[in-house]
């Protein structure tokens, strides 16, 4: 995280947001900086969508306004995360060079008038965006306000046009070398799809019927790589002019079109945009998982919440305003889960344009508002949380997740379209969250050394490297829980041949031969006498179930209705020092929670607070224990009290938390 030149080396939580001064007359800027200072804002992201202002016509440069605002911000002690403006090319670029505009799957070319109207594959787009980025970097590399660089914005563009076709073929040539290798990997023997040369291959545009799943999978990989190439060349250009500041771009959580594992090493600070929907009761837990993912992408390093909304968004169908308590909970939750920077979209609410109803730190109604008072209070909270800056979270649980696996799992033409990777991941994670247990999200195949529990909610693609890591972790003593329809395919999306999950059957002691949908009314499961800790309530399963055989495992539950009656549904097997559970169906929340609780207990994984009340989130970051009450008023009993960093009060071990209350207990000494 960049230290500020204004505060020497004193640790600080970055606090601020996107600032678009080009939308405002010069007089407004003075009021902006005055109120930023009042609110405790110490960093703003400038220039994200300013290409047309910086380059009003081809080759022209208009930097005067940017010189002035950067100087003004710096003079007022506010740092800048300076953006390359490449997310939204000016209309003239698309008019002069229509090939820079993206084409959708149906061949429709998109036009200017919104944003993101570019194809990452276009050479002209790349040259022009690089040129403006380079000039910007050269001009401001030594500006004392600039403490960070922000390349583009929320990379996520998909393009199926001719520019993309050319680059996709080049990507495939690098990946496969020969057309024979591509034909084999794509299984083109099916439906007469064999290609004679790479020139014949197209992006997966609109087709009469189901698309070759490996073609889709590779196109997703290619698209992610192509966007990364855009990012990388700008990053290199910024470095080439001598920049020493961190360089990043903003991720979007579990975003479907970018494989952030492959991007993670390319950003100096992992930065993320989070817009949870608070009308969903699961949103605090689901957001916590996103935040654990961000921490994991950075290898445990502090990350930055680059964007969030202080209240409503402009794109959600129905917005429930956040209110002060929720606004505060959201930001402090991110700090608790490893963020050292808390920023928003955006500083001042726009009176016009598509985001005129998107909330901002300074609303249309001005400073005499609940929102602005919330912002000022948050600014003070962030100052008070400075002692946590740089500290880390120790996670003993690994949850496996990978983008290609998600992509391949949800290709059409599968046993049931109701099985959703993220939904399963979220369901499993909620059990951890309710116990105050953080997780590292781990890419299958990466080391599992040091983890006491390994969860595999739904890893459709699993290969032998991942299986070897998983097996070694169990032998060392870890608890492993594997969910249904995992280990189905290899990295090409080809179904592993043999009883499933082929690469894990020895470890699990159970094997399957068919995956099938479960009838709408669900099926029941009956616990066996071997399952001492079985839930008291009846167990049900939905969505998907497997026809299993227990080869060398204890059966904990069997199907008790439907076609699979009498067959194993849930098993357990000891291996080395550890234990492996297998779920052969999507079981209900209570049963899932029971299995996960058993596995965590077997590995002695506990949260920082025993008997955490429902709705209260507990996270230990470094020496600080955060308690966030997302639910009804609750009493939390700790083994010891501590000083609350947020209020400075010394608190005893029994805490009464109102809805929305947050404490940050300093446990040092
Ligand atoms: C993000 C984007 C911002 C703003 C925000 C609104 O996708 O990066 O520029 O549009 O959403 O929620």
């Amino acid at each position: 995280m960049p230290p500020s030149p204004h505060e020497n080396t004193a640790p600080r939580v970055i606090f601020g947001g996107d600032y678009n001064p080009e939308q405002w007359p010069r007089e407004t800027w003075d009021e902006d900086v005055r109120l930023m200072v009042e609110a405790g804002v110490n960093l703003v992201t400038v220039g994200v969508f300013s290409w047309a202002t910086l380059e009003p016509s081809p080759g022209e440069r208009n930097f005067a306004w940017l010189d002035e605002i950067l100087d003004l911000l710096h003079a007022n002690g506010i740092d800048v995360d300076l953006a390359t403006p490449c997310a939204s090319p000016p209309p003239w670029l698309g008019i002069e060079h229509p090939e820079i505009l993206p084409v959708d799957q149906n061949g429709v070319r998109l036009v200017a008038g919104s944003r993101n109207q570019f194809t990452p594959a276009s050479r002209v787009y790349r040259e022009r965006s690089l040129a403006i980025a380079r000039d910007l970097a050269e001009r401001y590399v030594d500006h004392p306000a600039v403490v960070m660089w922000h390349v583009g914005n929320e990379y996520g563009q998909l393009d199926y046009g001719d520019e993309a076709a050319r680059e996709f073929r080049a990507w495939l040539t690098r990946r496969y070398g020969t057309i024979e290798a591509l034909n084999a990997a794509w299984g083109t023997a099916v439906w007469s799809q064999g290609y004679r040369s790479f020139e014949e291959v197209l992006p997966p545009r609109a087709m009469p019927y189901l698309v070759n799943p490996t073609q889709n999978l590779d196109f997703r990989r290619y698209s992610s790589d192509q966007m990364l190439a855009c990012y990388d060349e700008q990053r290199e250009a910024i470095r080439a002019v001598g920049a020493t500041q961190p360089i990043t771009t903003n991720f979007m959580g579990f975003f479907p079109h970018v494989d952030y594992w492959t991007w993670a090493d390319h950003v100096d600070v992992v930065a993320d945009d989070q817009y949870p929907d608070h009308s969903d009761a699961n949103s605090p837990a689901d957001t916590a998982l996103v935040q654990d993912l961000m921490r994991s992408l950075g290898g445990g390093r502090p990350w930055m919440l680059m964007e969030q909304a202080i209240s409503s968004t402009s794109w959600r169908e129905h917005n429930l305003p956040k209110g002060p308590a929720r606004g505060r909970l959201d930001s402090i939750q991110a700090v608790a889960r490893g963020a050292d920077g808390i920023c928003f979209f955006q500083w001042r609410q726009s009176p016009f344009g598509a985001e005129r109803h998107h909330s901002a730190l300074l609303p249309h109604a001005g400073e005499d508002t609940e929102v602005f008072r919330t912002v000022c209070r948050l600014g003070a909270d962030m100052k008070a949380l400075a002692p946590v800056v740089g500290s880390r979270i120790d996670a003993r649980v690994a949850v496996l997740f990978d983008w290609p696996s998600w992509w391949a799992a949800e290709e059409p033409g599968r046993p049931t379209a109701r099985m959703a990777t993220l939904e399963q991941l979220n369901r499993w994670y909620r059990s951890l969250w309710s116990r105050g247990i953080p997780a590292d999200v781990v890419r299958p195949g990466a080391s599992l050394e040091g983890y006491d529990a390994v969860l595999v909610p739904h890893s459709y693609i699993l290969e032998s490297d991942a299986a070897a890591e998983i097996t070694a972790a169990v032998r060392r003593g870890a608890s492993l829980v594997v969910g249904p329809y995992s280990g189905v395919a290899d990295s090409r999306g080809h179904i592993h041949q043999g009883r499933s999950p082929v690469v894990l059957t020895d470890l699990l002691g159970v094997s399957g031969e068919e995956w099938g949908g479960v009838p709408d009314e669900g099926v029941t499961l009956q616990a066996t006498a071997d399952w001492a800790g079985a839930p008291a309530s009846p167990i049900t399963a939905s969505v998907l179930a497997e026809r299993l055989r227990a080869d060398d495992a204890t059966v904990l539950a069997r199907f008790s209705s439907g076609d699979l009656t009498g067959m194993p549904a849930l098993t357990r097997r000891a291996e080395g020092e550890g234990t492996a559970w297998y779920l052969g169906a999507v079981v209900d929340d209570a049963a899932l929670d029971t299995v996960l609780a058993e596995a965590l207990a077997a590995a002695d994984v506990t949260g920082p607070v025993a008997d955490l009340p429902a709705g209260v989130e507990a996270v230990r970051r470094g020496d600080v224990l955060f308690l966030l009450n997302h639910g009804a008023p609750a009493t939390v009993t700790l083994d010891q009290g501590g000083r609350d960093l947020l209020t400075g009060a010394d608190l005893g071990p029994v805490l009464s938390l109102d809805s929305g209350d947050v404490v940050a207990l300093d446990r040092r000494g």
Side-chain angles (χ1 to χ4, degrees):
M1 214 58 60
S4 168
H6 295 285
E7 295 176 43
N8 304 321
T9 53
R12 59 169 187 162
V13 177
I14 288 173
F15 181 60
D18 282 41
Y19 180 38
N20 296 302
E22 68 274 27
Q23 296 177 7
W24 295 93
R26 174 65 185 81
E27 318 76 88
T28 314
W29 299 0
D30 294 311
E31 186 185 61
D32 284 333
V33 290
R34 175 178 67 77
L35 293 173
M36 284 176 191
V37 170
E38 193 177 318
V41 165
N42 54 31
L43 176 136
V44 288
T45 299
V46 176
V48 176
F49 295 109
S50 64
W51 192 343
T53 311
L54 291 171
E55 188 174 3
S57 57
E60 197 185 332
R61 294 290 182 262
N62 169 24
F63 286 126
W65 67 277
L66 194 51
D67 293 350
E68 194 173 351
I69 189 66
L70 293 193
D71 289 350
L72 180 66
L73 289 164
H74 183 63
N76 285 275
I78 298 156
D79 297 332
V80 170
D81 166 32
L82 189 57
T84 67
C86 308
S88 199
W92 56 254
L93 190 57
I95 291 165
E96 289 194 0
H97 299 278
E99 77 275 16
I100 72 118
L101 296 167
V103 175
D104 74 8
Q105 272 179 294
N106 297 308
V108 176
R109 192 176 287 286
L110 310 181
V111 297
S114 177
R115 66 180 194 194
N116 304 338
Q117 69 284 356
F118 68 89
T119 163
S122 157
R123 288 176 183 153
V124 170
Y125 166 76
R126 298 275 283 268
E127 276 160 25
R128 293 305 187 91
S129 60
L130 196 54
I132 187 76
R134 196 180 282 128
D135 287 358
L136 187 86
E138 246 166 28
R139 190 172 184 95
Y140 298 110
V141 64
D142 294 323
H143 196 289
V146 178
V147 299
M148 185 165 15
W149 295 92
H150 185 294
V151 173
N153 190 59
E154 294 189 334
Y155 281 96
Q157 292 72 18
L158 293 186
D159 173 50
Y160 296 83
D162 291 343
E163 300 286 295
R166 184 192 62 234
E167 295 303 317
F168 184 39
R169 289 177 194 131
W171 185 93
L172 291 167
T173 308
R174 289 194 295 277
R175 185 173 179 86
Y176 294 111
T178 64
I179 197 67
E180 290 75 21
L182 177 141
N183 280 319
W186 286 17
T188 56
V190 175
W191 291 352
S192 176
Q193 291 170 353
Y195 297 100
R196 294 171 304 171
S197 76
F198 286 100
E199 282 312 299
E200 294 181 350
V201 180
L202 288 166
R205 296 174 179 161
M207 296 183 199
Y209 188 44
L210 295 174
V211 177
N212 180 312
T214 313
Q215 181 178 1
N216 265 341
L217 181 60
D218 275 347
F219 187 70
R220 284 171 168 277
R221 289 183 169 122
Y222 148 79
S223 297
S224 178
D225 286 355
Q226 188 65 255
M227 290 184 264
L228 181 56
C230 290
Y231 167 84
D232 272 345
E233 69 192 13
Q234 300 226 341
R235 177 186 194 225
E236 279 153 27
I238 296 169
R239 281 276 174 260
V241 300
T244 55
Q245 302 94 333
I247 303 173
T248 192
T249 186
N250 38 355
F251 292 171
M252 291 175 276
F254 287 93
F255 180 70
H257 303 316
V258 178
D259 176 353
Y260 290 138
W261 286 125
T262 61
W263 281 60
D265 287 346
H266 299 242
V267 295
D268 298 321
V269 177
V270 172
D272 196 43
D273 296 350
Q274 295 168 8
Y275 292 94
D277 181 357
H278 295 294
S279 61
D280 177 353
N282 289 316
S283 118
D286 298 353
T287 303
L289 172 58
V290 171
Q291 296 175 342
D292 282 8
L293 170 69
M294 291 304 138
R295 208 183 56 242
S296 307
L297 287 168
R301 296 193 316 272
W303 56 281
M304 179 172 175
L305 178 51
M306 185 63 92
E307 285 184 25
Q308 59 174 327
I310 190 71
S311 190
S312 298
T313 70
S314 51
W315 42 265
R316 194 165 270 132
E317 282 279 306
H318 185 66
N319 286 273
L320 306 184
K322 268 193 189 175
R326 173 51 57 197
R328 197 162 173 256
L329 276 174
D330 282 358
S331 291
I332 299 178
Q333 180 187 32
V335 175
R337 307 199 83 91
D340 276 359
I342 299 298
C343 293
F344 292 81
F345 179 85
Q346 64 176 330
W347 163 251
R348 189 186 271 271
Q349 197 165 19
S350 305
F352 36 61
E355 297 184 312
R356 67 208 177 284
H357 287 300
H358 196 291
S359 60
L361 301 184
L362 186 59
H364 296 307
E367 59 188 292
D368 182 14
T369 49
E370 196 62 40
V371 164
F372 191 67
R373 281 186 281 278
T374 302
V375 171
C376 292
R377 181 169 184 210
L378 259 181
D381 286 334
M382 294 304 132
K383 279 200 183 100
L385 291 176
V388 303
V389 166
S391 60
R392 293 192 174 217
I393 290 163
D394 182 27
R396 296 174 59 198
V397 180
V399 177
L400 263 53
F401 170 78
D402 200 9
W403 270 266
S405 179
W406 178 18
W407 296 334
E410 297 188 7
E411 270 299 310
R414 51 192 174 131
T416 168
R418 298 181 188 175
M419 185 76 180
T421 298
L422 283 195
E423 187 185 337
Q424 296 309 318
L425 201 63
N426 281 319
R427 289 182 68 231
W428 287 47
Y429 183 82
R430 286 173 205 147
S431 287
L432 301 178
W433 185 83
S434 67
R435 295 177 169 78
I437 298 172
D440 282 350
V441 181
V442 176
R443 188 184 198 179
S447 170
L448 292 169
E449 191 84 46
Y451 292 109
D452 297 311
V454 177
L455 308 186
V456 186
H458 178 31
S459 285
Y460 179 84
I461 292 180
L462 274 183
E463 298 214 302
S464 50
D465 59 339
E469 285 294 339
I470 291 170
T471 306
V474 176
R475 290 193 177 136
R476 283 193 299 265
S479 286
L480 166 73
V481 189
V482 179
Y485 203 43
S486 290
V488 174
D490 66 18
S491 61
R492 300 165 303 177
H494 293 200
I495 308 300
H496 287 301
Q497 298 298 289
R499 295 184 65 86
S500 70
V502 175
V503 294
L504 287 176
T505 47
D506 288 349
L507 174 64
L508 297 168
V510 61
S511 65
E513 60 190 64
E514 190 179 18
W515 307 280
V518 168
D520 291 347
E521 63 277 15
V523 291
T524 56
L525 268 57
Q526 177 69 50
T528 66
D530 286 319
W531 196 8
S537 47
I539 308 170
T540 58
S542 59
V543 179
L544 176 138
E546 301 182 9
R547 180 176 291 274
L548 294 179
R549 183 177 73 208
D551 301 304
D552 177 25
T554 304
V555 177
L556 301 181
R558 294 181 183 277
F559 291 102
S560 51
S561 73
D563 290 349
L564 298 176
T565 296
M567 319 231 44
L570 225 156
T571 63
R572 187 178 63 209
R573 178 173 177 272
E575 166 83 23
E577 303 294 309
T579 309
W581 283 256
Y582 189 69
L583 295 165
V586 176
V587 296
D588 63 71
D589 289 345
L592 176 62
D593 189 64
T594 305
V595 173
L596 295 175
E598 194 171 300
L600 293 167
D604 205 18
V605 177
T606 53
V609 181
D611 302 320
L612 197 60
V616 176
E617 177 171 0
V619 201
R620 182 188 289 279
R621 179 174 177 192
D623 295 315
V624 178
L625 173 64
F626 286 87
L627 296 169
L628 302 107
N629 190 4
H630 302 274
T635 301
V636 178
T637 307
L638 307 171
D639 50 356
Q640 63 175 104
R643 195 172 63 87
D644 179 11
L645 288 177
L646 293 163
T647 58
D650 281 316
L651 302 178
V654 181
L655 303 173
S656 295
L657 299 179
D658 228 331
S659 299
D661 273 0
V662 186
V663 296
L665 287 184
D666 191 347
R667 299 296 196 78
R668 279 171 299 182

